[in-house]
Structures are given as structure tokens and as C-alpha cells.
Amino acid sequence: MSKFFRVFASGLMVLVMLALAVPALAQFGEAKGGLFGRAVDEQGGSLPGVAVTLAGQGAPQNQTTDARGEFRFLNLSPGTYTVTLALAGFSTVNRENVVVSLGRSTELTETLKLSSVAATVTVTEEAPLLDTRKVQSGAVISQAELTSIPTGRDPWVLLQSVPGVTLDRVNVAGSESGQQSTFASKGAVAGSFTLDGINQTDMSALGASALYYDFDTFQEVQVITGGSDPTIQGAGAHINMITKRGTNEVHGSARINYVSDSFENENFDPTAGRRKIVSVQEYGVEAGGPLWKDNLWLWGAYGRNQIDIAVGAKTPPTSSKTTLENLNGKLNWQALSSNALTIVGQHSNKLVFGRGAGANRPQAATTDQTLPQSTWKVEDSQVATSNLFFSAMYAGQDGFFGLDPEGKGQLFYDGNTGFLGTSPYFLASKRPQRQVKGDISYFLTTGNLGHELKAGFQYLKASEFAQTGSPSNPPANPGDAQKVGAFINTYGEDAAGIFRDRNAAIGTKYYAAFFGDTITMDRLTINAGVRWDRQFGQSFPSVAAGNPSFPDVLPAVVFPGREKDFTWNDWSPRAGITYAFGTNRNTVFKASYARFVDSVGTGLVGLTNPLGSSAGAYYPWNDANGDGIVQVGEVCTTCDLLANYGYNLTNPGDPGVSANAFDPNLKAGKTDEFLVGVDHEIMPGLAAGISYTYRTYKGQTYGLPYDAATGTIVTSADYVQYGTLTPGSSLCDVTIDSGVCPSLPGGGSYSVPVYQLNPALAAELGGVPGGFFYTNQTNYKQIYSGIDLTLTKRLSNRWMARANFTYNINKQKVGANGCSGDPNNGTYYAAPYGFTGFGPGGQNSGTCNDNDYVSTQSAGSGSHYSVFLNSKYVFNVNAMYQLPLNFNFAASLFGRQGYPINFYASTTGPDDGKQRAIVLTNPNDLRYPTLVELDLRLEKVIPITSTAAITVSADAFNMTNKATVLQEQNRIG
């Protein structure tokens, strides 16, 4: 028996045992919707034995109401359905326009009237918007909204319209398409991506998607930001996308979208480093229909997007050209009325020429990217009885992430200006994934209580096989060094970086299960369940060549592999309650508690792999001939080491010793969430809501400086103050301001103590160790408190809208030694062309003072490194109105508080020689201006036949013509 079938069989056995023993709360990785209903007589009494027929997206489905008069249809594709209820002696009810949404439960109560003659009553009233079966925060973006609202047309733009979600960039008319955003939701950074139930999160870059998407293939998109759903592991925003499918009606569409720089008004400062559209071209086609009516359907799509951007104020500016291609297919087969088989295939590719283009990068400092990705899925759903449902899925993806430097020479970095001269590295990374998933639902009645018992199981295997390194083209001159970099005024003097390539083979495995019960009793619904996660990873054998110019500094390494350093086992309880008020049950009170846990990524596992990252050593460099290129004889490797990372300083060629180590008791970081709110349906199709969320996050993984040779872990107690950064002090590493710390822009002042490693310990260890000991922060937590206001109007009576406003506070609580080992905000220069923070809140989040706001630095693609996410308020309004003569008018209004400006200065400790980035302002002291963007659309629908039309539209973005500053160079001097 193959390994896959052993895992699959084990998963099915677990499902059966869970279904018979302990039930669960929701479908595992729920990728579709559900319809729940009740048939009653004119006195409100239950009607068992009613024949119920559901018609819509696929073949008609049939059920019979149970003893409580209830029926249910699970695993439905989003769309519009017709429900027919028939019982002898009663009029037949035909309920039309029943909308089923992604990840939501649509609920109906239908009244059948006594009738002595055969009669049919057609009901066109809209189905309720409120979901009383689960507690969840977030949003569902319908097909009508996807089609009609002007956006930058990618999933990250959709996130911007979800309550409380903030992004590190603004995508105006597609200017940021083809690049992924860092996003935050309710205090949590990043999240997950699911397409047709398939995990598309890049497990080698948690929070990123493994691929890019064809926007017009989406049938519906759901974003979950909190609640009691046990299918969700982490606390971030989770994007659940489902593509279109074939139906009994032949349908399709084609599109051409175009914009050029001639459509763009130039409202920017000519010295600013802006992103300017040269042209954006998008076209595609999708079509579907029956191969065998009521049995077999096929759908397919092709899309291409060409995004050409000019970045920076230089003449000529840096160019970034991105091509996105997508090919999608879906086959649905309903051989039996009780069985549904779905086969999905998808292939995408991203080509970028000029990735990383920024205001301080010339063309030679960018890279060219390839990102081919193939995804497939086989899923089967079975209705065993009217009370028993189950489904199983096997899916996989094979992806590649490649970067090739446009500049092939030595890396060059000017510490005075932040100027990066040539491309920093190449990358060749294979990232395959395999996934098995299943769930089972059983409905039963005990007295007056209805039960929905559910259980689910998932197995995910993700791997990364990556080679990363510096360019190593043949030297231009015989004495030029290879795999080195030239760094001007970086560690208090000019330095040469000596590099060894990364060659990592890492695998991670994830097991998860959930079980619980949804208990219904008239107006009351109670959810109670628990989720279990088990995560771990290991490093496989690999080899890396030594530095060709300095093999004694960084020799070759033959790594034999490494077993798992830790295993995370976590139980996450989930509970929710809803109660419906009013005669029509149009007001719902909801409350929930949930625990979420962090995920393991290949990047975390690889921290103790000697080849899990590239290695670097920095030594004094005397550019004797003044050509700006490092020659072998110009580097003083017998001088004191200025900095190092990624290798064992005592024995850099040791194949079994990493510069880093894990706490053997390392645990997953945990978020506890409490949510309470009220939703009210003002009238059919129009609902408003208010909710309050309180979260605490504890146990974040962070790194303490660590010396592998002696096992020394450096804590904050090992540091001493050596000075205070103030305007005019001589501690800043700058030369353009006469070697003194300048004032903040605008003349602002500051006074920040700076620390260095105790001189005695620094002498013993040879400076700050280059490795880190990764453990949990035990005396630190983040607290999120926020209110969401929402309004949703389904498309009817010629208009639709979705609006929200969020106000929140996201702060940190710091106890004794609650920050990282270095009191200087926990920030170091891990490499001279960018710093990495190991303090609270993520990358260089700012100060480590109690009650400070948490602001996390962007880690998304593109030049957004000076963006720190934290807005106390954010709002969004999307709306569309259908005018006479087939004209439609739509608008999108988005706004948020400006992000913090975290100014920092660089300084080098006189005794430990470590350069540090010292944040000078608290995250809420200085902010960019409030950001507001208004986008408009006017379209005209031109009917061709009764079933075909052409739509001509014009979108206008940033109608207020604001030139709001989004980021500045935040290193003073």
C-alpha cells in the first residue's frame, strides 16, 4: 500500500470514529455554502414528509423533511436556486431566487397551506441575509460586486474592503497588481488562501499566496477574520475563493481592459519615488455548460494580464514589467442524484522583469522572476441519507519560485543614502504540496433539540527545495573577488561582504482534526467544539559550495540532514451562541470564544539548518584603487570581524552545527478571541450589524542572540547603556551630516538610550553572536480591541451596497525582560541592505515600551519596507445603482488613518561592533496623512440577444486626485 493511501485510509478511519463518538462544528476547509429550511403549516406546526426539490447550479436534488419538518442541502456552489416543497393536501410552494453564499448558511421557513385542489404558490421574497447557525466576522464578496465595483482586480484589493483589514499599499487602477501585499486583521498579520477548497498558502512564505489569480474566474470570495469556525487554524484574515462552474445553461464571458499613461494625471512631486502606470492590459475568456444535461458539466477559462510600471524619480525611472497568465478548468459529474464528483485543474505563471524596483534602485538592482504553479483537485461528496453527508478530497500543487538578478556584478550598497547598486541574490525554489481532506456531517434529534454532528480531518505536506545566493559571474578583472559585496559606510566603515549560498531541502507536515456539535432549539443555536493541530518539520541532506574567493572564511558544507527540533500539538476550543429575536427573527444576537494557533513554515524549520539561509561575513575593506569593486587583496580577513550571520563562527564548515538553536519546549503562539455582536435585517435584502472583538496574543516566537560554540544565550541583562541618541550626538553612523545625529524631519527632537553588549562578554564571545536562540516570549502580549459596523444590501430594486467602519486599538503589554535580548528595540542589521527585527510585533515594529501601539513592518513584495501597519480607524463603501437605459453607476470609497512614521537611526556599539537600527519615535507619535481613495465606474449594457450583451465601462480611480504620501525614507540622515 502506498504512503498516500495509508494516510488517506487513516484519515477516513479518524473521520468515522469522530462521527460516531464526538461531533464537530463546521465543514473542514468549507469551500461552499449550505441551505437549511423548515416546512410548517399555517399554525406554525412542523410538517414532516414534505418532498423538497432544489434546482439551480447542477442537477436537481431531492430530500424529504424529517420529524421536525427540517431539510438541508450541503456543499452547494454559490449562486441562485429554486426550492420547491410539495405535500399531499397542501398547496405546493415554489420559492425562487434563493441565494446561497460562500461559507454561509441560508435559512428558510416555508408555510404550506391546506388546499383541496392542486395549486402552486410562487414566492419571490428574498432569502434572509442573516446566518444564525454560526458566529463569524468578515465579509462575502458576491458575483455582482466582483463584476460591478471598480477595483484593482486582485484578491488583495478585495481584502481592503473587509472590516478591520489593512494593507501595506494602495492598488490604484492595477498599479500594484502582480505584487503581494502584507495585510493585517484584528491585530494579526497575514492569513491564508484557499481556492476551491485547496490550500494555496505558500508554506515557505507564510501569509503569502503560492500563486496569482484570474479575477474573472471567481464566482464568489469569502474573507473570514474571526469567529468560532473550527476549520480555521490561525487568527489572520483567511481568503476563501471559489471559481465558476458549468451548469445546464451554456454561459460565458470575454473581457478586454486597458489603461495607459495617457489616461493618468501626474499629481506627484517630481522628486518623489512614485509608481507610475505605463500601461495595464488585461484580457480573458471563460465559458461553461453541460456535456450531459443534469449529469456532466465543464467550465474553463484563460486570462492574461500585462502590467508595466515605472518606479522612482530617476531619468529614466526603474522599469517593472509583469505578466500574469492563468488557465483554469473544472469538471462536475453527478452520476447519481446523491453523489457529486469535482475535478479541478489550474495552471498559472508570473513573469516579472524588474522585480523590486524602487526609488533608490536602478534597473541593475532588480531581479527577474518566474512563478509557474500547477494545481489540481479531485473531490467527491456523497449524500448517504437525508441525515448523513460526507466528502473527501485529494489535491496537490507543484510550484517554482525563481529569481535571476538583472545586474550580474558585485552587490553594492551605500550606507549613506540607502542606495542599492546591483541585484542582491538569485533564487531557485521548488515548493510542492500534497493535501488530503475529509469531513462528515450527521443530523439527529433528541427531544426538542436538533443536532448537527460534524467531524473533519486534514493532512498537508509541504516542502521547499531552494538554492539562494549572490551572483558569481566571471570577474571583470583578474583580482576581483566573487560572491562578495561592497558596502560603503555600513558597519562604521567600509566593508566587504563575503557570502556562501543557501541550499536547503526542508519538509513540513500538518495534521488537523475538528469535532463538535451545532445544537438548535427554536430561536437558540449553540456551537461547541474543538480543533486539534499537530505540526512539525525537518531538514534533508544538502551540500553548499564554499566562497570561491575566500574559502577559508566560508568553506564548503556537506549537511547530513536534521530531524525535527520541535513538534507543536495544540487543542483549540471553539464555542458560539446565537439567538434570533422578533416575529420574523430578523434580529440576531451572537457571541463566541475561539483560540487560534500559529503555523509552522519551512522558513522557521530551516533556522537550524546550516544551509537553511545564505551565510555572510563582513570584514574591513580598503578600496585601494577606488573602483568600488572588491578585489581579494583589499579585504582584511585578519582584522576584527565586523558582522556575520548564518554560520557557526567557531567552525564555519561544520556540517552538523547551526548558528541557531530552538528551545526544545518551543510552543505555537496563541490568540484568544472573544466576539459579541448584533445583526439586524432592516428589510429583505438589507442588513446592518455591530460587533466587538477582544483578542490577546501570547507566546510569540522570537530570537535571542546565541553563541553556538559555548551555548551562551544573550539576554537583556547582558547589555549596558553606552550613550543616548539625541540631535547633534556623535553616535549615528552617518557621514553626510558631519557624523552627528540630525534632527527629525521638521525639526523634531528625540532622546533614546542605546545599549551594547557588556564589553567583558563581548570580548569573550568576539562581539554579538551571529546566531539566535528561538523561544517563546513569556512576558509579553499584544491586545486588540475593536468595533466593526457593517451594512449589506443585496442586489435588488436596482441597487446594492456593502459598507463598513472599524475603530480599534492594538497595543502591547511588556513585563520584565519581555522584549528580545537587545534592549535597542530588538532590531539588528541582518544584512546591510535591510534590517530584520526580532522584537515584539514583527519586523522593526518600533519601541518595546509598555502600552505602545503595535505596528508591523511590511514584508510584502515590492519596495514597501518603510510601511508600518497600524490604523486606529478604517472604512470602506462599495455601491452600485442601475440607472435607466441600461446604464449602471458604481463607486468604491476607501479610507484609513495614516500609518506611523517610524524614524530610526543607525549606530554601532564601540565594544561589540554591532550595527543597530534604533527607532526614535513611538508608533503613534508621527503619522502619515489620512488616506482616502474614491473610485468610480460608469457602464452601459448593450443587449445583443435575449441572453447576450456587451458591456462598455469606464473606471476612474483616485477621483479626489490626492497625492497622499504613503512612505518616506525613514532612516534619518
Side-chain angles (χ1 to χ4, degrees):
M1 183 182 294
S2 71
K3 188 172 184 179
F4 159 68
F5 284 106
R6 289 198 302 271
V7 172
F8 188 74
S10 300
L12 289 180
M13 185 177 298
V14 170
L15 283 175
V16 172
M17 290 189 294
L18 290 174
L20 296 177
V22 189
L25 187 63
Q27 284 186 291
F28 204 108
E30 190 166 20
K32 297 188 178 181
L35 173 62
F36 296 81
R38 183 169 178 249
V40 299
D41 59 24
E42 293 176 86
Q43 287 73 44
S46 300
L47 287 176
V50 177
V52 184
T53 301
L54 179 72
Q57 299 297 302
Q61 301 183 45
N62 300 294
Q63 277 197 21
T64 303
T65 59
D66 59 19
R68 287 160 50 98
E70 295 179 346
F71 62 91
R72 72 280 303 176
F73 296 94
L74 304 185
N75 208 31
L76 298 177
S77 297
T80 303
Y81 292 82
T82 298
V83 181
T84 303
L85 299 91
L87 180 65
F90 291 81
S91 297
T92 297
V93 173
N94 193 49
R95 181 68 177 264
E96 297 179 342
N97 299 319
V98 177
V99 177
V100 174
S101 297
L102 182 59
R104 298 285 182 91
S105 300
T106 299
E107 298 181 70
L108 303 174
T109 298
E110 298 299 333
T111 301
L112 279 66
K113 298 181 179 181
L114 287 169
S115 177
S116 59
V117 296
T120 299
V121 178
T122 299
V123 180
T124 58
E125 181 182 354
E126 292 190 50
L129 275 171
L130 306 183
D131 185 349
T132 66
R133 299 186 66 85
K134 64 178 69 171
V135 181
Q136 198 170 81
S137 61
V140 173
I141 299 95
S142 66
Q143 173 63 206
E145 187 174 342
L146 291 169
T147 302
S148 300
I149 301 299
T151 70
R153 296 176 57 81
D154 68 29
W156 294 271
V157 176
L158 298 180
L159 280 171
Q160 180 177 277
S161 70
V162 177
V165 179
T166 53
L167 280 71
D168 66 347
R169 66 199 67 196
V170 182
N171 189 344
V172 180
S175 61
E176 292 281 2
S177 294
Q179 302 292 329
Q180 297 198 25
S181 301
T182 294
F183 52 94
S185 168
K186 297 190 175 184
V189 180
S192 66
F193 294 81
T194 302
L195 179 68
D196 286 324
I198 310 167
N199 176 62
Q200 296 290 1
T201 307
D202 188 344
M203 305 311 292
S204 297
L206 293 179
S209 171
L211 71 154
Y212 290 79
Y213 305 89
D214 181 348
F215 193 80
D216 265 29
T217 64
F218 297 151
Q219 175 67 26
E220 216 164 68
V221 176
Q222 178 195 29
V223 181
I224 301 173
T225 59
S228 58
D229 186 349
T231 68
I232 301 301
Q233 176 185 339
H238 305 277
I239 304 94
N240 183 15
M241 300 159 282
I242 190 165
T243 57
K244 299 174 182 177
R245 55 160 290 172
T247 65
N248 281 334
E249 300 294 331
V250 176
H251 61 276
S253 64
R255 69 188 185 277
I256 299 175
N257 296 320
Y258 176 76
V259 64
S260 76
D261 56 355
S262 60
F263 300 171
E264 185 176 17
N265 184 36
E266 297 190 355
N267 61 355
F268 51 83
D269 183 332
T271 65
R274 85 292 187 199
R275 293 178 65 86
K276 175 181 171 59
I277 291 176
V278 176
S279 69
V280 177
Q281 306 169 44
E282 182 189 0
Y283 56 84
V285 62
E286 58 88 18
L291 298 179
W292 177 14
K293 189 175 181 180
D294 287 343
N295 286 275
L296 190 65
W297 304 268
L298 180 65
W299 170 84
Y302 171 78
R304 188 178 190 275
N305 203 354
Q306 181 65 44
I307 307 145
D308 295 346
I309 303 295
V311 184
K314 298 181 178 66
T315 303
T318 309
S319 169
S320 177
K321 298 182 179 181
T322 301
T323 303
L324 305 177
E325 282 193 299
N326 279 272
L327 184 64
N328 288 268
K330 182 184 291 185
L331 182 70
N332 295 91
W333 182 29
Q334 197 159 334
L336 303 172
S337 60
S338 61
N339 186 272
L341 176 70
T342 303
I343 299 175
V344 172
Q346 192 268 355
H347 180 76
S348 66
N349 196 9
K350 173 187 175 183
L351 302 173
V352 183
F353 299 94
R355 186 178 190 268
N360 62 343
R361 291 191 179 193
Q363 198 68 44
T366 65
T367 54
D368 296 337
Q369 179 185 1
T370 58
L371 190 71
Q373 178 81 29
S374 295
T375 302
W376 46 267
K377 176 187 87 166
V378 178
E379 182 179 26
D380 189 76
S381 299
Q382 176 67 43
V383 180
T385 69
S386 61
N387 294 327
L388 180 62
F389 305 79
F390 59 87
S391 65
M393 183 192 83
Y394 180 54
Q397 59 179 230
D398 293 289
F400 176 83
F401 189 115
L403 296 176
D404 184 42
E406 287 204 4
K408 304 297 184 180
Q410 290 183 5
L411 174 64
F412 176 86
Y413 177 79
D414 188 339
N416 296 323
T417 63
F419 178 81
L420 183 64
T422 57
S423 305
Y425 59 88
F426 67 84
L427 170 66
S429 176
K430 295 180 180 179
R431 301 175 179 180
Q433 293 189 25
R434 296 294 182 267
Q435 183 180 9
V436 179
K437 185 166 65 175
D439 60 76
I440 187 167
S441 300
Y442 182 69
F443 295 83
L444 76 158
T445 301
T446 59
N448 294 325
L449 302 180
H451 299 267
E452 181 183 355
L453 310 180
K454 287 189 175 181
F457 170 83
Q458 175 175 271
Y459 166 76
L460 174 65
K461 178 183 178 180
S463 303
E464 181 183 22
F465 305 94
Q467 293 180 310
T468 307
S470 303
S472 185
N473 280 14
N477 300 303
D480 291 353
Q482 297 185 62
K483 289 193 179 294
V484 296
F487 302 100
I488 306 298
N489 188 31
T490 301
Y491 291 104
E493 57 184 296
D494 294 346
I498 300 170
F499 306 118
R500 180 172 63 198
D501 293 348
R502 171 197 186 202
N503 185 14
I506 303 169
T508 52
K509 292 184 179 180
Y510 310 83
Y511 297 87
F514 69 86
F515 43 90
D517 191 4
T518 299
I519 305 168
T520 56
M521 183 176 60
D522 193 20
R523 297 172 180 268
L524 178 68
T525 301
I526 299 174
N527 298 315
V530 67
R531 176 189 173 96
W532 168 75
D533 288 280
R534 178 180 174 87
Q535 312 172 71
F536 57 88
Q538 69 179 103
S539 296
F540 305 112
S542 56
V543 178
N547 184 282
S549 299
F550 299 93
D552 294 337
V553 175
L554 289 174
V557 172
V558 178
F559 176 54
R562 186 183 183 94
E563 292 298 319
K564 57 186 179 183
D565 290 288
F566 58 87
T567 299
W568 287 352
N569 282 294
D570 294 284
W571 294 89
S572 302
R574 309 283 168 90
I577 182 172
T578 66
Y579 189 86
F581 295 89
T583 304
N584 298 322
R585 306 189 180 196
N586 59 351
T587 301
V588 177
F589 168 80
K590 60 184 181 181
S592 68
Y593 163 75
R595 167 165 287 184
F596 304 99
V597 298
D598 291 348
S599 295
V600 169
T602 60
L604 179 64
V605 173
L607 289 174
T608 54
N609 182 336
L611 302 181
S613 67
S614 57
Y618 299 87
Y619 285 96
W621 164 52
N622 176 25
D623 188 12
N625 58 8
D627 62 357
I629 298 175
V630 178
Q631 276 85 42
V632 173
E634 295 177 343
V635 183
C636 182
T637 57
T638 60
C639 297
D640 289 340
L641 182 67
L642 299 177
N644 69 291
Y645 67 94
Y647 69 97
N648 179 4
L649 186 61
T650 303
N651 186 358
D654 190 326
V657 177
S658 169
N660 303 323
F662 282 111
D663 183 339
N665 296 315
L666 184 70
K667 307 295 183 183
K670 295 175 176 61
T671 298
D672 289 294
E673 177 193 85
F674 295 89
L675 187 152
V676 61
V678 177
D679 294 326
H680 176 67
E681 192 166 44
I682 301 170
M683 61 182 187
L686 175 62
I690 180 172
S691 64
Y692 171 74
T693 301
Y694 180 84
R695 282 180 167 183
T696 59
Y697 174 59
K698 301 177 182 179
Q700 176 175 271
T701 299
Y702 77 137
L704 297 169
Y706 172 72
D707 181 64
T710 62
T712 301
I713 301 172
V714 178
T715 69
S716 57
D718 296 313
Y719 285 79
V720 296
Q721 183 177 347
Y722 70 86
T724 302
L725 288 183
T726 58
S729 71
S730 60
L731 299 178
C732 285
D733 294 335
V734 295
T735 58
I736 58 176
D737 289 289
S738 303
V740 299
C741 298
S743 298
L744 294 175
S749 187
Y750 53 89
S751 179
V752 181
V754 289
Y755 301 84
Q756 67 173 13
L757 194 60
N758 186 298
L761 183 58
E764 179 183 340
L765 300 178
V768 177
F772 288 91
F773 179 81
Y774 292 94
T775 185
N776 298 110
Q777 286 180 300
T778 57
N779 207 9
Y780 171 87
K781 67 179 179 180
Q782 296 176 12
I783 298 176
Y784 173 90
S785 178
I787 295 177
D788 295 332
L789 303 176
T790 60
L791 180 72
T792 304
K793 171 63 172 67
R794 185 182 288 154
L795 179 58
S796 62
N797 300 320
R798 308 183 69 89
W799 72 285
M800 69 175 183
R802 186 170 59 84
N804 57 75
F805 174 85
T806 296
Y807 184 85
N808 70 90
I809 300 294
N810 185 23
K811 292 189 175 183
Q812 60 190 13
K813 292 294 184 181
V814 183
N817 299 319
C819 289
S820 62
D822 191 333
N824 297 291
N825 309 322
T827 55
Y828 299 100
Y829 272 95
Y833 42 86
F835 54 82
T836 300
F838 299 93
Q843 279 190 305
N844 193 34
S845 59
T847 63
C848 190
N849 298 323
D850 188 39
N851 216 36
D852 271 350
Y853 287 84
V854 177
S855 61
T856 301
Q857 186 181 14
S858 168
S861 57
S863 297
H864 298 272
Y865 309 115
S866 298
V867 177
F868 297 83
L869 281 67
N870 180 295
S871 289
K872 288 186 286 186
Y873 59 85
V874 56
F875 60 88
N876 190 87
V877 180
N878 290 344
M880 188 269 284
Y881 188 81
Q882 296 174 329
L883 299 167
L885 303 177
N886 291 322
F887 281 96
N888 298 326
F889 176 75
S892 176
L893 175 66
F894 167 76
R896 61 164 170 77
Q897 183 187 33
Y899 287 149
I901 307 175
N902 283 1
F903 286 113
Y904 76 96
S906 295
T907 182
T908 301
D911 290 299
D912 66 13
K914 191 74 171 185
Q915 188 178 34
R916 296 173 174 86
I918 309 299
V919 178
L920 303 178
T921 58
N922 290 329
N924 200 44
D925 287 353
L926 297 172
R927 287 182 176 268
Y928 295 111
T930 296
L931 171 69
V932 177
E933 182 189 0
L934 174 64
D935 304 329
L936 302 178
R937 167 178 290 183
L938 180 65
E939 64 182 22
K940 165 70 174 176
V941 180
I942 306 172
I944 304 300
T945 68
S946 61
T947 59
I950 294 175
T951 299
V952 180
S953 65
D955 293 353
F957 293 87
N958 191 23
M959 284 298 294
T960 58
N961 201 28
K962 293 290 186 180
T964 307
V965 174
L966 300 181
Q967 63 174 335
E968 295 178 2
Q969 170 60 264
N970 61 325
R971 177 181 174 181
I972 62 169

